[in-house]
Amino acid sequence: MVTSIVNEATLDDRLRSLVFDQLPLSGIGYAVGELTISIQFVDITIIVFCNSGIPFIGSHVVVAEIPAVVGSGNATNEISEGQMVIIDGLDGQALVEPTDEELEDYKARAKAFADQKAEWKLLKDAKSVTADGKEVKLAANIGTPKDVEGANDNGAEAVGLFRSEFLYMDASELPSEEDQFKAYKAAVEGMNGKQVVVRTMDIGGDKELPYLPLPEEQNPFLGYRAIRISLDRQDIFRTQLRALLRASHYGSLAIMFPMIATVQEF
């Protein structure tokens, strides 16, 4: 049932508190984002459903395994509290007032997916080997040091991408060297000797900072972003590099530079 509608601006803090503080859950949902709904036959009862895409939500939803559908147009203005809605986070679908047949179908789908996840859980510590015997490294994608716990719980052999821009997006001003150092150090130590690849700030395109205005462009995704901002704003870049170098003392840390297009940029 749809139980509450909340302003989208409160999403990140509400989601953090609901997931990480482990509030008691039941068959009735809690308010997260513009519209939160809960399906009574699903174990996870926090479900996110929003009209637009939300840059801050991605890693929290993935790590917490919260079913989510975003970019739903005007749907949350047309659905009322008290209506039954099924959220299919696998296929990105939402069914309003499902029929009895649809409800039974999704109960079966939910059970099948839960069974599949239980089977996958048994393989989390197995080696990653292709059909022809080639061993590969299965690495995690994280956005904050808090994600390391989930990476370890699921058998990650490394962190292949630490999206450091989330440290900037979660802050009201440019994060200091000390704040960044603590975040990178926590991630490196949390992986217990496994490699952590940190991508330097990839800001631009759809990832904007209110405190770092960027010029308007026809195609900002391929324009002034990522490494181009870092090379232009070396005060920001050097602060991040110093934090990374300091954190590398505590484990295996590698640095990735985003959007390298030319030899000169490298």
Side-chain angles (χ1 to χ4, degrees):
M1 287 292 190
V2 177
T3 58
S4 188
I5 298 174
V6 183
N7 189 296
E8 190 170 302
T10 66
L11 174 63
D12 194 48
D13 289 341
R14 293 295 299 276
L15 184 58
R16 285 175 184 272
S17 65
L18 286 171
V19 175
F20 294 109
D21 293 346
Q22 299 180 345
L23 290 180
L25 302 181
S26 67
I28 296 180
Y30 293 93
V32 182
E34 278 194 335
L35 182 65
T36 298
I37 42 192
S38 169
I39 304 174
Q40 294 179 1
F41 56 83
V42 177
D43 290 337
I44 300 173
T45 57
I46 302 174
I47 297 176
V48 179
F49 185 32
C50 298
N51 287 344
S52 59
I54 307 168
F56 297 96
I57 193 175
S59 64
H60 304 314
V61 166
V62 171
V63 170
E65 297 187 15
I66 298 174
V69 173
V70 300
S72 59
N74 199 42
T76 62
N77 297 319
E78 298 174 353
I79 298 171
S80 303
E81 294 183 4
Q83 285 188 293
M84 171 68 74
V85 182
I86 291 178
I87 291 295
D88 181 353
L90 294 176
D91 293 331
Q93 301 291 325
L95 280 72
V96 181
E97 297 291 2
T99 64
D100 290 342
E101 291 78 9
E102 289 172 329
L103 196 57
E104 290 303 316
D105 176 45
Y106 273 91
K107 285 181 182 180
R109 293 191 194 194
K111 183 181 184 306
F113 185 55
D115 292 343
Q116 179 68 79
K117 288 200 299 180
E119 185 176 334
W120 288 336
K121 197 74 172 179
L122 299 175
L123 301 173
K124 75 179 186 68
D125 294 320
K127 289 187 176 181
S128 304
V129 184
T130 62
D132 60 355
K134 182 177 176 61
E135 190 170 334
V136 295
K137 181 180 290 187
L138 185 62
N141 183 334
I142 70 173
T144 75
K146 290 181 178 179
D147 300 341
V148 167
E149 181 179 355
N152 285 323
D153 287 346
N154 287 282
E157 299 168 79
V159 169
L161 177 61
F162 183 153
R163 300 171 178 265
S164 71
E165 57 268 19
F166 281 96
L167 300 179
Y168 295 79
M169 295 169 69
D170 287 344
S172 58
E173 59 183 5
L174 287 169
S176 67
E177 177 184 330
E178 191 63 23
D179 287 341
Q180 292 189 63
F181 162 68
K182 290 177 180 177
Y184 305 140
K185 177 175 178 285
V188 168
E189 289 183 331
M191 288 303 294
N192 302 312
K194 300 173 185 176
Q195 187 179 61
V196 176
V197 180
V198 181
R199 182 175 68 187
T200 59
M201 181 186 73
D202 184 13
I203 292 299
D206 60 343
K207 291 174 284 190
E208 300 178 351
L209 300 177
Y211 53 84
L212 185 66
L214 301 177
E216 292 187 8
E217 301 177 276
Q218 286 188 332
N219 188 358
F221 291 92
L222 296 178
Y224 185 65
R225 63 171 290 191
I227 193 64
R228 292 155 202 166
I229 298 176
S230 294
L231 292 174
D232 190 42
R233 289 290 307 272
Q234 293 200 15
D235 55 327
I236 299 175
F237 197 27
R238 289 177 181 274
T239 296
Q240 182 170 31
L241 291 178
R242 284 195 299 268
L244 287 166
L245 291 173
R246 288 173 60 193
S248 68
H249 175 73
Y250 296 89
S252 177
L253 185 149
I255 302 174
M256 177 192 297
F257 300 108
M259 295 295 293
I260 298 292
T262 67
V263 175
Q264 289 75 19
E265 286 177 336
F266 185 75

